[in-house]
Amino acid sequence: MSIQRQLTNDRMSQVVLHNGTVYLAGQVGKDMSAGIEQQTRETLANIERLLDSAGTDKNHLLSVTIYLKDIDAHFEGMNAIWDKWLPNGVAPARATVQAKLCEPEILVELSVVAALP
C-alpha cells in the first residue's frame, strides 16, 4: 500500500493517507488572540476542510485527541463547541489531555484519525 502525504514540508505533513485511513497533524485555529470557543470553532473548520480534501468527512472520525492548554479553564467551552459540531451517532474514540502547546497563545489543538468512505 502506498502512503500519500499532502501539505508537506520538511518537518511534517498536514494529511497522511494510508490503507483507507486519514491522519491529520495537530490542528489549531488561526486567531490565537481568540478565546477557547472561537479557537475550537476555527480548529474544527480546518479539520473539516482537510478531511474534505482527503475525501472524507467528520462522519468518518475514528479517533480524536484533544490537547488543552488548561483543562480546568477550557474543557467546558471546548466541549460546548464540539458537541454542536459533531453529528449524532458518530462520536469517535476520544481523549482530552492538558498539554503545554508549542505557542503560549494556543488554547486547543486536535489530532484526528478518520476512515475513507
Side-chain angles (χ1 to χ4, degrees):
M1 297 247 122
S2 67
I3 299 172
Q4 298 174 19
R5 293 174 174 84
Q6 299 174 358
L7 304 170
T8 300
N9 63 32
D10 291 339
R11 182 169 289 162
M12 62 193 279
S13 298
Q14 292 296 313
V15 180
V16 175
L17 296 96
H18 179 259
N19 200 25
T21 307
V22 177
Y23 303 86
L24 300 186
Q27 298 298 311
V28 298
K30 294 183 183 209
D31 183 358
M32 294 302 114
S33 67
I36 187 63
E37 291 86 357
Q38 185 60 27
Q39 283 195 31
T40 302
R41 271 188 214 94
E42 291 178 4
T43 301
L44 294 173
N46 195 41
I47 287 167
E48 280 193 79
R49 182 183 59 77
L50 292 172
L51 290 173
D52 182 61
S53 76
T56 191
D57 59 39
K58 63 185 173 182
N59 292 301
H60 293 86
L61 295 175
L62 299 172
S63 176
V64 175
T65 302
I66 301 171
Y67 303 94
L68 293 174
K69 179 178 180 176
D70 184 336
I71 200 162
D72 294 326
H74 300 134
F75 188 71
E76 186 177 319
M78 177 278 300
N79 269 330
I81 304 306
W82 170 268
D83 291 345
K84 291 176 188 173
W85 177 79
L86 189 67
N88 288 333
V90 298
R94 187 185 112 165
T96 305
V97 299
Q98 180 168 299
K100 184 175 182 180
L101 301 171
C102 67
E103 298 290 336
E105 300 84 10
I106 297 174
L107 303 178
V108 59
E109 181 174 341
L110 280 79
S111 181
V112 172
V113 179
L116 288 170

